[in-house]
Amino acid sequence: MPQAVKDIPAVDFDKIRKDFSVLNQTVNGQPLVYLDNAASSQMPKQVADRMDHYHRHEHANVHRGIHTLSQKATDAYEEARTKVQELIHADHEYEVIYTTGTTDSLNLVANSYGLENLSKGDEIILTEMEHHANIVPWQMIAKKTGAIIKVIPVTDSGELDLEAYKDLITSSTKIVSVVHVSNALGTMNPIKKIGEIAHENGAVLVVDGAQAVPHQAVDVQDIDADFYAFSAHKMCGPTGFGILYGKKKLLDAMPPYRGGGDMIDKVSFEETTFNVVPFRFEAGTPPISAAVGFSAALDYLNDIGMDQIETREHELVNYAVERVTKIDGLKLVGNSANRASVVSFVFDDIHASDLGMILDKRGIAVRTGHHCAQPVLRRFGVPATTRASLSFYNTKDDIDRLVDGIEYAKTFFE
Ligand code: 7TS
């Protein structure tokens, strides 16, 4: 169902763009057009400054020092937890586990919840459009437990085939793990519906939200997600930091995934007991400055407003689709009406990496390749696509430059 374009927000995005100094540079002699936001978004000065201040004035290890600086660092570090709770509408801040990113979050669920709850013959349902981060950990756990992986197919327009899903799911299905927004196709999946079907069949819903949380308001309680994973570096924060949300009753029953400092209660050679959730899952010295930076990134995004961001990006992505589909020979890979901030395409006679290189010479950064989603590219019979992925700080001018760049590249192949 096509989404209505909401009113243009009363936010000055031209002013906001100025916070991103990295965008204000030339690449190969041309002003940079950054359209690789699905890989990693850029960081505004407010976040960089906050991390710099932390390093210069507040740094100490967390959770272990009685001294003032350690307590200050701990306060700064813990701040992100409450902000994430508010952002995703979790019931409790202890449902927010710090990880190093979406990949780490999904590995945590697979290795802790998965290993504990799966046995031979149990089923894990994934989809054909998953990022490798939501495939490989489950394959590794399936191998250890004897569980079986089933895959929801993707339709020609790049949507999940929900009828096929209903046929696949059985009383042996224990886990349904699905991407909220596909990084390769841009498809926004009906995650709440998928969760309802999972729960009716007694399975838990794991959501890879790496490409959703940066672009729209997400409510984990409304979705009724049992687990929800995302990365800070795709939402104006630093690399090396991410979140796993989990329902407290599930987390409380889960064994630790990694052992070490901070995750214990008492240690002896005879027996070790473990810390409470979320600390049970946060062994060792964490990425403290990254948490502090992420906290600042959340303030930044909240100041703009996630609804405003969604509206702005929706307008940009609609414009991008409208413009690129007029290019002769260009075929979209993934053409869902429910699309978020990603446009992926191919040409019969131009290889994606050639196109990407020519665009780069014109200062235009796009991603080419399989986008760590090989199964879905195989589904569409292509080895690689060119992908433009947008953020709120992009402009229609960026998209016009992309279209001009593609038209220019085409002249080499005529
Ligand atoms: N899931 C999805 C849907 C993703 O898009 C990505 C990263 C990940 C998981 C992994 O996130 P990480 O932060 O743990 O690495 N996606 C991309 C991309 O599209 N291009 O580069 C990375």
Side-chain angles (χ1 to χ4, degrees), residues 346-404:
V346 289
F347 289 89
D348 282 340
D349 46 2
I350 311 175
H351 195 279
S353 55
D354 291 337
L355 178 56
M357 262 175 335
I358 296 169
L359 291 173
D360 182 55
K361 289 273 174 281
R362 294 168 71 93
I364 302 162
V366 293
R367 195 162 190 91
T368 62
H370 53 63
H371 316 297
C372 296
Q374 286 181 8
V376 81
L377 265 68
R378 213 168 286 130
R379 152 72 179 83
F380 284 97
V382 292
T385 74
T386 302
R387 181 188 72 184
S389 54
L390 300 155
S391 176
F392 54 84
Y393 45 68
N394 285 119
T395 60
K396 286 189 176 171
D397 186 50
D398 287 342
I399 294 160
D400 293 340
R401 289 263 317 274
L402 171 71
V403 171
D404 290 349

Side-chain angles (χ1 to χ4, degrees), residues 36 38-40 100-104 106 131 133-134 179 181-184 208-211 231 233-234 367 371-372 387:
D36 195 18
S40 205
T100 65
T102 308
T103 303
D104 191 30
L106 293 168
H131 186 282
N134 199 26
V179 71
V181 173
S182 159
N183 68 316
D208 172 352
Q211 300 294 350
S231 301
H233 70 98
K234 295 185 197 290
R367 195 162 190 91
H371 316 297
C372 296
R387 181 188 72 184

Side-chain angles (χ1 to χ4, degrees), residues 57 75 109 229 246 313 350:
H57 305 286
D75 289 346
V109 186
E313 293 182 3
I350 311 175

Side-chain angles (χ1 to χ4, degrees), residues 24 41 94 106 112 126 137 155 177 187 202 207 209 224 245 269 293 315-316 318 323 331 346:
N24 186 24
S41 60
Y94 287 175
L106 293 168
S112 176
L126 307 177
T155 65
S177 192
T187 311
V207 184
D224 202 10
Y245 158 83
F269 284 107
E315 194 193 355
L316 287 174
N318 282 351
R323 289 236 47 204
K331 288 187 230 160
V346 289

